[in-house]
């Protein structure tokens, strides 16, 4: 794949991965992207996941047509991009590995010592001239690890963006960018919104025509859309007006209440209602939906004097990612001592700018007329108040 006359794609598609990074379902696989810049000096940009070294090295050899690379630029030491540094150096021992000080520290940690005789340690904003192309390295700490840096080629106006602007899914599968990029963002980078904002400010000063991320498609058109999405996500603003209802139900009664609320909201013209069973649906998808919409309803049974485990996991996933600027309502169920609402609300104690609905629903075992009336009131409150101005 040709990115520009001088920049070629040499990455791989992974359809064997069961869980990406040990936890994320990737039904359409994963791409580990890598690029070659052909110039007076030749640079290879990052490596790929461990099991794909031979395929990646063959891709590089095909592009090089007998030439030797001068540099291997490492922008991120997470093993999905760094696992093949050693195998690269076995084939190209004279190449210089380019990274920052943190990258080289991690390289020693992962590989058990200094693995390269030739290394070039760069600092923030330092440049490396390849001939016609000059790479500028811009440190992007915590997008997604502390050592991360992105590279900008001003000649072809290409930003090598590391994990930023990546998505789940292999490149040989056609799918919508927003959905799987959002799930990827909030799953993997979502905690570090402020650091993403910092990077976006740097990117705004550059003339970028093409974004080459380490995962997902190369972005060449409508870059304002992708940058806009990243700006919304990293500033914790809701993307859409709507209500996401997440429920945890043991015997179906809490589920019934959640579905009843969804039906009432839809009947009364709520722009979007999404509903998920936390025990059965993909947790990363649920996290993504909680960040997507401006209102959230949590419905849980009381369990072991606490809340259902999947609800606890879900709320932890939100708060550790800095969930904020939203309105939250509650449905609780308890046959003898309902206390789920108090526990769920308490879990957001340290969260910024969360408004809780005044109305809440308490079910004792099963939905009765009194509970339905409370669901009605909660629906009305949710319809009449949005937490923050959504993007659309
Ligand atoms: Fe794709 Fe943070 O590694």
């Amino acid at each position: 794949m040709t990115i520009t006359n001088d920049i070629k794609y040499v990455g791989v598609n992974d359809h064997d991965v069961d869980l990406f990074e040990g936890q994320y379902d990737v039904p359409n696989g994963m791409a580990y992207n890598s690029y070659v810049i052909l110039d007076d000096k030749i640079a290879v940009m990052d490596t790929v996941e461990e099991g794909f070294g031979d395929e990646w090295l063959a891709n590089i050899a095909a592009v090089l047509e007998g030439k030797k690379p001068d540099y291997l630029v490492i922008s991120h030491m997470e093993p999905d991009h760094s696992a093949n540094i050693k195998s690269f150096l076995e084939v190209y021992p004279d190449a210089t590995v380019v990274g920052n000080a943190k990258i080289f520290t991690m390289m020693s940690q992962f590989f058990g010592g200094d693995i390269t005789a030739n290394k070039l340690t760069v600092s923030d904003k330092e440049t490396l001239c390849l001939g016609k192309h000059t790479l500028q390295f811009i440190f992007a700490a915590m997008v997604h690890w502390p050592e991360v840096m992105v590279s900008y080629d001003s000649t072809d106006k290409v930003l090598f963006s590391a994990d930023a602007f990546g998505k789940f899914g292999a490149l040989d599968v056609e799918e919508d960018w927003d959905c799987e990029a959002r799930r990827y963002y909030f799953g993997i980078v979502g905690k570090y919104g402020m650091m993403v904002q910092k990077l976006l400010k740097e990117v705004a000063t550059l003339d970028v025509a093409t974004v080459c991320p380490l995962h997902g498609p190369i972005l060449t058109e409508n870059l304002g859309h992708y940058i806009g999405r990243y700006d919304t996500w990293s500033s914790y603003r809701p993307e859409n007006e709507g209500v996401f209802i997440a429920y945890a139900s043991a015997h179906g009664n809490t589920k019934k209440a959640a579905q009843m609320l969804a039906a009432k909201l839809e009947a009364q013209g709520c722009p979007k209602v999404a509903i998920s069973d936390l025990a059965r649906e993909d947790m990363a998808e649920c996290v993504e939906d909680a960040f997507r919409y401006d209102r959230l309803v949590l419905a849980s049974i009381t369990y072991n004097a606490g809340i259902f485990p999947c609800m606890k996991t879900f709320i932890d996933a939100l708060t550790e990612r800095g969930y904020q600027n939203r309105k939250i309502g509650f449905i609780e169920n308890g046959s003898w001592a309902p206390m789920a609402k108090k526990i769920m609300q308490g879990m957001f104690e340290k969260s910024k700018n969360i408004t809780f609905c005044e109305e809440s629903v308490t079910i004792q075992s099963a939905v009765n007329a009194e509970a339905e009336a409370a669901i009605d009131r909660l629906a009305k409150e949710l319809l009449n108040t949005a937490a923050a101005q959504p993007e659309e």
Side-chain angles (χ1 to χ4, degrees):
M1 194 199 311
T2 293
I3 313 292
T4 68
N5 276 344
D6 300 329
I7 302 177
K8 314 292 175 188
Y9 180 83
V10 290
V12 298
N13 288 317
D14 180 359
H15 286 287
D16 300 327
V17 57
D18 61 341
L19 290 174
F20 178 66
E21 291 188 0
Q23 60 171 321
Y24 297 103
D25 271 328
V26 281
N28 287 331
M30 201 67 201
Y32 312 116
N33 297 341
S34 169
Y35 308 89
V36 171
I37 305 173
L38 297 166
D39 204 336
D40 297 342
K41 300 284 185 187
I42 295 171
V44 176
M45 309 298 285
D46 293 289
T47 87
V48 298
E49 177 74 44
E50 189 172 20
F52 294 85
D54 290 346
E55 184 182 341
W56 171 66
L57 287 168
N59 290 348
I60 292 172
V63 163
L64 293 184
E65 295 174 327
K67 295 194 273 293
K68 297 257 184 284
D70 298 279
Y71 299 107
L72 173 64
V73 176
I74 298 297
S75 58
H76 183 14
M77 274 305 297
E78 196 163 14
D80 48 331
H81 312 295
S82 67
N84 276 291
I85 296 174
K86 213 168 172 176
S87 52
F88 176 90
L89 291 173
E90 279 162 15
V91 181
Y92 304 111
D94 297 329
T96 296
V97 180
V98 181
N100 57 42
K102 283 186 179 141
I103 283 170
F104 285 115
T105 299
M106 284 193 189
M107 210 176 290
S108 299
Q109 290 170 192
F110 274 109
F111 293 101
D114 206 353
I115 57 167
T116 173
N118 309 313
K119 66 171 129 173
L120 175 63
T121 305
V122 296
S123 49
D124 189 23
K125 306 284 174 15
E126 194 171 328
T127 57
L128 175 65
C129 183
L130 303 175
K132 200 168 82 177
H133 299 261
T134 296
L135 289 175
Q136 183 177 41
F137 305 106
I138 301 164
F139 288 13
M142 303 320 296
V143 187
H144 143 232
W145 279 13
E147 83 294 3
V148 170
M149 61 182 196
V150 303
S151 308
Y152 176 66
D153 167 22
S154 54
T155 304
D156 283 352
K157 302 181 173 41
V158 173
L159 178 70
F160 297 93
S161 63
D163 274 343
F165 302 102
K167 70 179 267 299
F168 295 128
L171 297 193
D172 53 1
V173 179
E174 286 268 334
E175 63 180 357
D176 177 59
W177 185 87
D178 283 27
C179 191
E180 283 297 73
R182 189 191 298 107
R183 190 168 71 94
Y184 171 91
Y185 175 83
F186 284 111
I188 291 173
V189 195
K191 180 178 173 62
Y192 306 108
M194 272 173 60
M195 312 311 276
V196 175
Q197 282 283 307
K198 187 167 173 278
L199 175 60
L200 290 178
K201 285 191 176 70
E202 299 270 9
V203 170
T205 66
L206 306 172
D207 183 6
V208 179
T210 302
V211 176
C212 289
L214 287 176
H215 303 288
I218 287 84
L219 307 173
T220 53
E221 286 173 4
N222 201 12
L223 294 186
H225 171 80
Y226 306 108
I227 292 168
R229 284 286 181 262
Y230 255 62
D231 184 37
T232 300
W233 300 339
S234 59
S235 57
Y236 301 96
R237 297 195 306 273
E239 185 180 332
N240 298 118
E241 196 180 336
V243 180
F244 176 50
I245 304 169
Y247 68 84
S249 182
H251 301 289
N253 289 298
T254 307
K255 173 182 180 178
K256 194 172 164 190
Q259 288 174 333
M260 192 178 276
L261 176 67
K264 286 178 190 297
L265 288 167
E266 274 165 1
Q268 291 173 61
C270 186
K272 173 72 189 177
V273 181
I275 180 165
S276 288
D277 179 345
L278 293 175
R280 291 177 176 80
E281 293 177 44
D282 178 60
M283 188 57 75
E285 188 84 40
C286 296
V287 169
E288 173 201 339
D289 277 342
F291 279 98
R292 180 173 185 174
Y293 299 108
D294 60 338
R295 282 155 282 177
L296 171 69
V297 174
L298 300 170
S300 178
I301 60 165
T302 305
Y303 185 81
N304 282 342
I307 54 176
F308 216 36
C310 58
M311 179 59 82
K312 188 168 184 306
T313 301
F314 178 60
I315 298 175
D316 280 340
L318 298 184
T319 54
E320 73 191 27
R321 286 167 174 76
Y323 194 71
Q324 55 190 270
N325 303 329
R326 305 295 194 281
K327 179 153 196 163
I328 303 178
F330 297 100
I331 297 174
E332 65 175 352
N333 195 350
S335 290
W336 62 94
M339 57 194 300
K341 180 197 171 218
K342 185 169 172 239
I343 294 165
M344 290 189 284
Q345 187 163 333
M347 289 178 75
F348 291 95
E349 200 169 37
K350 293 185 183 148
S351 303
K352 283 192 279 182
N353 197 21
I354 297 284
T355 313
F356 298 108
C357 289
E358 285 176 19
E359 299 288 349
S360 66
V361 180
T362 297
I363 305 160
Q364 288 198 279
S365 304
V367 177
N368 57 15
E370 201 182 323
E372 183 167 359
I375 292 170
D376 261 326
R377 291 194 298 274
L378 179 59
K380 282 199 177 65
E381 185 179 352
L382 287 164
L383 283 163
N384 292 334
T385 50
Q389 200 57 43
E391 295 300 298
E392 293 174 2

